[in-house]
Amino acid sequence: MLLHLVAEFDLQRDVVPWLAARGWAAALDTSENSSALYIVNVERNGKIIYTWKGNQRNTHIGLYDPQTKQNEHLYMFERDLRIISCSVNNERTLLAVSFRQYTEEERVSQLLQSVSKYLALLIEIHPINNVRVLKAVDSGVQVQFLYPVEGRNTSTESRLLLVSEDKYIEQFEIRVVAEEEHKVVIQNSGQLPRARVADDLIWAQWDMMEQRLFYMVPKESKSTLKCVQFYPDENFSSILESHLDISVNDTQLKLVNFGYDYCEDQNVAPKSLNLRVFTSKAGGLCVCCSLASDTPDEITYSIYFLHKGYNKTFTVSLERTESHQLKEVAFINLDYYVAAYLPGQFLHLLNIQHPDLLCYSLFLTGEDARIDMLQNYSIRSPLISTVLDCHIGSMYAVSISESALLHLLQNSKRDSERLAALHCALLYFQHTEDLEMQIIWWISENLSTCHSFDPIQEFIIASLYCRMCPETHNLDKLLPYTSLLDWIGIIPGVTCATDIIPLPVLEFQNSKDFWKKLNSNLESVKYAEPHLHYHNNVLRREWHNLSEEREEKPTTAYLRNIFENARKVLSHVDTWDSEERLVPLFQEEDYQQQLLMGLMVAQLKDHLMRHLQYVGKKKIDQIVLDYVANLLNLVHQIMKEVWRRHHLHSCIFCFNERGSAGEFAVFHIMSRILEAANGMCLPLPPGFHTLHLGLGVRCLPLHTLLHYIDNGVLHLTETCVRKLLEDLDDTEKNEKLKFSIVMRLPEALGQKVRQVWKHPINANLMAQKYVKLLLEKLENRQCIRFAPERLSVPAEFLPLNYLTSMLTEIENQGVQPHEKQDHVNVRFVEEAALKHTMTLLGLKYS
């Protein structure tokens, strides 16, 4: 099961034994009283209020503390009442209760028409003392105490929300005084001070952790979502307003998280408004809404991503349409994800941080979507990563199962599921070494099975994103989280429509945490968020330009600064410990890669400076160096894991033997790493190309090796070519290999390494190259006439004599093909030509 549930509270486990020990549980043993014990509310401190019927049908109220695992009896009514709502203040001195006194039939039969149908009471319970009537009305009411922030002493004042089915919400201010013997009594002798919080609402949800009230007000065919924030040291203020295209036909007030009415949950109206508002720590604000579809084999639900400015409506074709199974969709807040769950049908994990592409959300059906502990339908999500099953009276901590996610990643046959599972593993679980190792192993086995994305690119970019973004606020809006620009795939059985919606209006001052982050997200949307992410278009162009100009222009101050950036990055990389050096990556000079490193540092720094000026230059410098160094470390981490998995040792870099099957597998993975890096213009660790070429020499036949070199898959490096020329003897096969490599060396590299190979073939190549370059230098000079009679050399071989005379004349005029010729000159050319000619004629040269 993808969602892992741990029971933090269960009535049968945590309450019934305590009731039985006190003789209060006898009435719970009969099946007709199965609803006699049920959860009424969950407070901000996690304490759970429940009610049960005693032996004489008295109505009791109890409190369970999950921290101490202790139960506490709060109050008892000497009547059989149906508790609708209940809340206790933070100090457990006051209890607010609302209940239904009589049904309509009972009032008629007992001639009690003048007696109110519903009653809301405020009771002093420390000690049990006075009872105050808050409301005596014919419409239902809900009660909820406000809770102060942790550590703030508010023992002399409590505030209470009262929600009426007549569609208004009031706040009561209750002051208490401490008398002798630790008694606490309500100070106000008359009416309690009250303030109207909201009017004309049709739906409301209480956010107990953040002390926020979301409510909906109808407006023509649309609705307006509002939010009131309650402050610990102030009163309250309206802070958000958002116009949503949600039509509400039901006139009955719908409440969420204002307690849990067991009887009401058993009779959910099939077309009632199923609406939830979820927030995330990163400033996400989602409105989740579903109504039963008129089509029996389909269900539709919408997610309004208010922090992104658009709405996605999903229509799901159901596999089984038994009427008794089709209840409303349950929405569960997992912080980074929202889960839409229809038992027996599907589980849809929606990525609320990056909801733009469907491939970042995970849609599961059948056995993969099963959640054993949630087979009932009275499911609530009162807290982040918490599920309350009102029917059986259990509260669970819910999380995504790492093992189930890896199982799904390894066994899924669809790219959309693979990509969603990969992102979930990297971004939801953050960085764990074991998880990272298993993902790398999966990548190494599935390089050819993923068609719509490159798993190496996604692993590197998503890992960098989750490692770097927690460091600095708003950094998540500036760094890329994926290599994909779009995704045109489909999810079988699901259609999705996206609509632009108006951004919510915020009115706040000096707010922190969520509201500040939400406002930052909205500002990003206003300024076209996709354009804020760093991309490599300019980097690739400048890298190519500077690479081509290397031979033509001297090193400038700009280039010196670029290479200084690279040096700083490599100083971070040098912290690899000895165990990590299992892979024989050489700390060598690599002009191209160091140039790319330095350019990435410079351009990423400029990008962040444009948007994060308030962070400061020193901090941005550190962020950028960490980013590029982490990039290199991730490539090295991939190499280390595949190296270890294929049982390769650290001394494998030699050419005396052919490569093993494990080496060939590693070579293939390195080729894919190179392809991924080239696709996103990412630098590679020093020595990557050397090791890659070395494995290619060991594993590939010559024609394939040369094909890879000619097509840029393998890069000739000085370290590898030198070792190749020095270590291999001059057998016919090795001569062919060396000759093929030497012929393909770039001029600058060839000048450095050709002299290592003491062989006639190489001497011929060097002589030919020397003559060619010398004559090319002569093209723009004045034509020179040569007189053979002036030559001091013998005339037995006239073509060679003429060539040497011409080259000598050119050398005497100061024309040099290179600033540094080493030992190559006209004499060298003459000797090489004679040796080669004698060899071709089968003669011995002396």
Side-chain angles (χ1 to χ4, degrees):
M1 292 183 295
L2 184 62
L3 293 188
H4 177 63
L5 275 66
V6 176
E8 292 189 332
F9 172 76
D10 181 76
L11 284 172
Q12 298 300 316
R13 182 193 69 191
D14 299 314
V15 176
V16 169
W18 178 74
L19 294 178
R22 286 155 181 77
W24 285 334
L28 304 179
D29 297 334
T30 58
S31 58
E32 64 269 17
N33 291 317
S34 59
S35 64
L37 174 65
Y38 58 92
I39 295 174
V40 183
N41 201 2
V42 179
E43 299 289 10
R44 184 178 187 270
N45 53 18
K47 296 181 180 179
I48 299 165
I49 302 176
Y50 53 89
T51 182
W52 77 94
K53 301 297 188 295
N55 296 336
Q56 287 77 39
R57 305 302 294 164
N58 297 328
T59 303
H60 298 257
I61 297 174
L63 182 72
Y64 177 80
D65 188 340
Q67 298 296 323
T68 63
K69 311 293 184 184
Q70 298 295 317
N71 288 278
E72 179 182 352
H73 184 256
L74 295 180
Y75 197 73
M76 181 189 73
F77 293 95
E78 295 180 351
R79 291 172 55 190
D80 184 358
L81 300 175
R82 180 189 140 196
I83 302 294
I84 296 175
S85 177
C86 186
S87 183
V88 64
N89 66 347
N90 189 45
E91 294 75 29
R92 300 203 308 283
T93 57
L94 300 174
L95 182 70
V97 183
S98 69
F99 54 86
R100 186 171 66 183
Q101 297 195 83
Y102 305 99
T103 65
E104 194 63 36
E105 293 76 11
E106 288 172 338
R107 291 208 302 174
V108 171
S109 64
Q110 299 180 33
L111 301 177
L112 297 173
Q113 287 88 345
S114 61
V115 177
S116 299
K117 186 177 177 181
Y118 295 92
L119 201 62
L121 303 178
L122 180 62
I123 306 169
E124 297 170 356
I125 60 171
H126 185 67
I128 295 175
N129 198 357
N130 299 320
V131 176
R132 307 272 307 259
V133 176
L134 293 174
K135 288 284 182 180
V137 290
D138 285 341
S139 57
V141 290
Q142 305 274 341
V143 289
Q144 176 63 57
F145 274 105
L146 299 180
Y147 271 61
V149 294
E150 295 181 3
R152 185 172 181 266
N153 184 14
T154 57
S155 59
T156 62
E157 180 180 336
S158 294
R159 287 180 288 161
L160 175 72
L161 293 181
L162 187 143
V163 186
S164 171
E165 285 184 359
D166 289 334
K167 302 180 180 179
Y168 66 85
I169 299 178
E170 292 180 308
Q171 177 187 263
F172 288 82
E173 183 178 330
I174 307 160
R175 294 187 179 276
V176 297
V177 293
E179 296 185 346
E180 68 280 358
E181 299 178 2
H182 306 289
K183 290 184 179 181
V184 175
V185 296
I186 299 172
Q187 183 179 16
N188 311 75
S189 58
Q191 288 284 336
L192 294 174
R194 68 181 71 181
R196 189 64 65 102
V197 176
D199 282 302
D200 302 323
L201 61 153
I202 54 173
W203 172 93
Q205 175 180 312
W206 177 241
D207 182 345
M208 68 185 75
M209 286 305 297
E210 303 299 333
Q211 301 288 279
R212 293 191 284 252
L213 171 69
F214 293 98
Y215 66 97
M216 194 85 73
V217 177
K219 188 176 182 181
E220 299 176 354
S221 62
K222 298 185 178 181
S223 301
T224 300
L225 176 70
K226 297 185 178 183
C227 180
V228 173
Q229 176 72 65
F230 294 87
Y231 300 99
D233 52 355
E234 301 177 28
N235 197 2
F236 57 85
S237 64
S238 180
I239 203 167
L240 175 141
E241 184 172 306
S242 180
H243 302 291
L244 303 177
D245 188 14
I246 299 178
S247 178
V248 181
N249 299 320
D250 192 353
T251 58
Q252 182 179 0
L253 177 63
K254 180 75 172 180
L255 300 177
V256 179
N257 292 348
F258 281 100
Y260 308 98
D261 189 339
Y262 176 87
C263 296
E264 181 183 330
D265 282 335
Q266 304 312 299
N267 302 291
V268 176
K271 295 242 177 183
S272 65
L273 181 61
N274 180 19
L275 187 72
R276 298 291 185 274
V277 175
F278 291 143
T279 61
S280 70
K281 296 174 184 175
L285 177 59
C286 296
V287 178
C288 309
C289 178
S290 77
L291 285 172
S293 174
D294 295 330
T295 306
D297 59 349
E298 287 185 351
I299 195 161
T300 301
Y301 52 96
S302 296
I303 311 294
Y304 292 78
F305 300 99
L306 299 187
H307 59 293
K308 294 290 186 180
Y310 52 80
N311 160 49
K312 288 186 179 292
T313 299
F314 301 92
T315 301
V316 180
S317 299
L318 301 177
E319 296 180 354
R320 298 179 301 277
T321 56
E322 293 87 343
S323 58
H324 67 277
Q325 285 189 337
L326 298 183
K327 300 289 184 178
E328 63 182 21
V329 176
F331 297 106
I332 303 171
N333 187 2
L334 299 175
D335 191 35
Y336 207 92
Y337 289 87
V338 165
Y341 176 54
L342 188 61
Q345 295 288 345
F346 64 82
L347 172 65
H348 192 180
L349 288 187
L350 293 121
N351 188 321
I352 63 175
Q353 196 70 7
H354 305 295
D356 44 347
L357 302 183
L358 284 184
C359 53
Y360 302 127
S361 298
L362 196 58
F363 186 87
L364 302 175
T365 58
E367 196 65 20
D368 291 331
R370 183 171 56 88
I371 307 176
D372 283 341
M373 297 183 182
L374 296 181
Q375 293 304 306
N376 299 293
Y377 305 97
S378 301
I379 299 171
R380 303 286 184 268
S381 184
L383 304 168
I384 291 178
S385 300
T386 302
V387 171
L388 177 65
D389 190 326
C390 304
H391 181 76
I392 63 174
S394 295
M395 189 165 73
Y396 305 95
V398 58
S399 60
I400 299 174
S401 168
E402 181 178 316
S403 59
L405 188 66
L406 286 173
H407 178 79
L408 182 67
L409 180 66
Q410 293 161 1
N411 293 278
S412 177
K413 304 301 180 185
R414 292 201 293 263
D415 272 7
S416 60
E417 287 186 359
R418 293 188 183 110
L419 184 55
L422 179 62
H423 267 263
C424 184
L426 293 171
L427 300 177
Y428 182 84
F429 292 102
Q430 302 297 317
H431 174 67
T432 61
E433 186 173 343
D434 182 63
L435 179 64
E436 192 175 73
M437 177 193 71
Q438 295 188 63
I439 291 174
I440 292 173
W441 285 14
W442 173 83
I443 289 174
S444 67
E445 294 175 347
N446 291 271
L447 288 171
S448 301
T449 60
C450 300
H451 304 291
S452 59
F453 71 100
D454 186 325
I456 294 177
Q457 287 182 348
E458 288 302 300
F459 172 75
I460 291 174
I461 296 302
S463 296
L464 283 172
Y465 181 84
C466 73
R467 288 186 183 191
M468 299 300 301
C469 289
E471 286 191 10
T472 305
H473 178 57
N474 282 336
L475 193 58
D476 59 321
K477 302 175 184 62
L478 303 174
L479 297 179
Y481 59 89
T482 178
S483 64
L484 297 179
L485 299 178
D486 54 24
W487 187 75
I488 57 175
I490 61 172
I491 300 176
V494 181
T495 60
C496 175
T498 303
D499 298 301
I500 303 299
I501 60 175
L503 294 178
V505 177
L506 296 181
E507 295 182 5
F508 66 92
Q509 292 181 348
N510 302 323
S511 289
K512 299 179 180 179
D513 301 327
F514 171 77
W515 294 116
K516 183 178 180 180
K517 292 177 182 178
L518 175 59
N519 186 61
S520 176
N521 288 334
L522 296 178
E523 291 296 318
S524 298
V525 175
K526 292 177 184 177
Y527 294 105
E529 182 179 4
H531 301 292
L532 294 177
H533 286 123
Y534 169 78
H535 56 81
N536 57 27
N537 295 342
V538 177
L539 173 64
R540 188 189 302 276
R541 185 167 59 249
E542 187 166 359
W543 182 44
H544 287 164
N545 291 340
L546 290 176
S547 298
E548 294 172 357
E549 295 173 358
R550 180 189 178 190
E551 300 294 332
E552 302 175 8
K553 294 183 179 180
T555 302
T556 63
Y558 174 69
L559 277 176
R560 286 194 295 271
N561 182 62
I562 293 298
F563 283 104
E564 177 62 19
N565 291 339
R567 187 195 63 77
K568 292 177 181 177
V569 171
L570 292 177
S571 68
H572 283 55
V573 178
D574 281 339
T575 59
W576 291 340
D577 59 30
S578 57
E579 192 274 333
E580 287 179 323
R581 290 187 183 273
L582 172 69
V583 183
L585 290 178
F586 298 92
Q587 302 300 301
E588 60 187 50
E589 292 292 328
D590 189 330
Y591 176 87
Q592 294 291 340
Q593 294 306 309
Q594 291 185 22
L595 177 63
L596 183 55
M597 286 178 217
L599 284 173
M600 176 175 274
V601 169
Q603 294 195 8
L604 184 56
K605 188 185 301 183
D606 290 342
H607 179 72
L608 297 186
M609 283 296 293
R610 284 194 297 270
H611 303 285
L612 293 178
Q613 301 94 334
Y614 57 88
V615 172
K617 183 179 182 301
K618 186 176 180 180
K619 176 64 175 176
I620 288 178
D621 287 347
Q622 188 62 47
I623 291 173
V624 171
L625 290 176
D626 287 344
Y627 186 86
V628 182
N630 270 312
L631 191 159
L632 299 178
N633 276 325
L634 281 168
V635 176
H636 184 265
Q637 183 70 14
I638 297 174
M639 290 294 303
K640 185 179 72 171
E641 295 299 341
V642 298
W643 202 267
R644 182 187 293 123
R645 189 174 191 191
H646 291 284
H647 308 292
L648 303 187
H649 54 82
S650 58
C651 300
I652 201 170
F653 194 70
C654 62
F655 304 107
N656 297 323
E657 300 177 0
R658 297 303 298 166
S660 64
E663 291 175 50
F664 185 80
V666 173
F667 171 79
H668 176 62
I669 293 171
M670 290 188 72
S671 299
R672 292 299 300 268
I673 292 173
L674 180 62
E675 181 184 349
N678 289 340
M680 295 201 68
C681 201
L682 303 176
L684 292 165
F688 181 92
H689 289 304
T690 294
L691 180 58
H692 191 207
L693 178 60
L695 288 172
V697 172
R698 286 176 61 93
C699 297
L700 300 177
L702 180 59
H703 67 279
T704 306
L705 174 71
L706 300 180
H707 177 73
Y708 275 36
I709 293 173
D710 293 339
N711 286 275
V713 178
L714 290 172
H715 295 250
L716 297 174
T717 67
E718 180 179 351
T719 302
C720 187
V721 174
R722 278 185 180 275
K723 190 168 183 62
L724 180 76
L725 296 176
E726 290 172 350
D727 289 2
L728 290 181
D729 56 17
D730 289 327
T731 62
E732 182 178 353
K733 182 179 180 181
N734 290 343
E735 280 185 359
K736 189 175 181 180
L737 170 63
K738 291 181 178 182
F739 176 74
S740 301
I741 295 293
V742 169
M743 283 291 292
R744 286 166 169 79
L745 289 176
E747 179 58 32
L749 179 58
Q751 289 296 318
K752 292 182 179 180
V753 302
R754 281 197 187 103
Q755 300 170 32
V756 175
W757 189 23
K758 306 298 183 181
H759 192 273
I761 293 178
N762 190 45
N764 292 339
L765 291 174
M766 294 171 67
Q768 292 172 17
K769 199 74 172 178
Y770 181 81
V771 172
K772 177 178 179 291
L773 293 174
L774 203 61
L775 294 178
E776 285 176 352
K777 294 286 185 178
L778 183 65
E779 286 183 2
N780 296 326
R781 286 178 169 261
Q782 184 178 1
C783 182
I784 303 173
R785 298 181 61 85
F786 301 101
E789 63 274 13
R790 290 161 47 194
L791 298 175
S792 59
V793 294
E796 287 83 0
F797 193 5
L798 294 179
L800 179 61
N801 292 344
Y802 184 84
L803 177 63
T804 55
S805 297
M806 181 177 62
L807 297 179
T808 302
E809 185 69 23
I810 296 172
E811 281 190 349
N812 291 338
Q813 292 187 11
V815 178
Q816 303 292 345
H818 303 287
E819 293 181 3
K820 185 178 181 181
Q821 294 186 49
D822 296 320
H823 64 281
V824 181
N825 51 27
V826 174
R827 178 63 179 166
F828 179 88
V829 173
E830 183 180 25
E831 290 185 359
L834 288 174
K835 288 180 181 179
H836 185 61
T837 304
M838 298 294 283
T839 301
L840 291 177
L841 295 175
L843 302 175
K844 185 176 181 181
Y845 178 80
S846 58

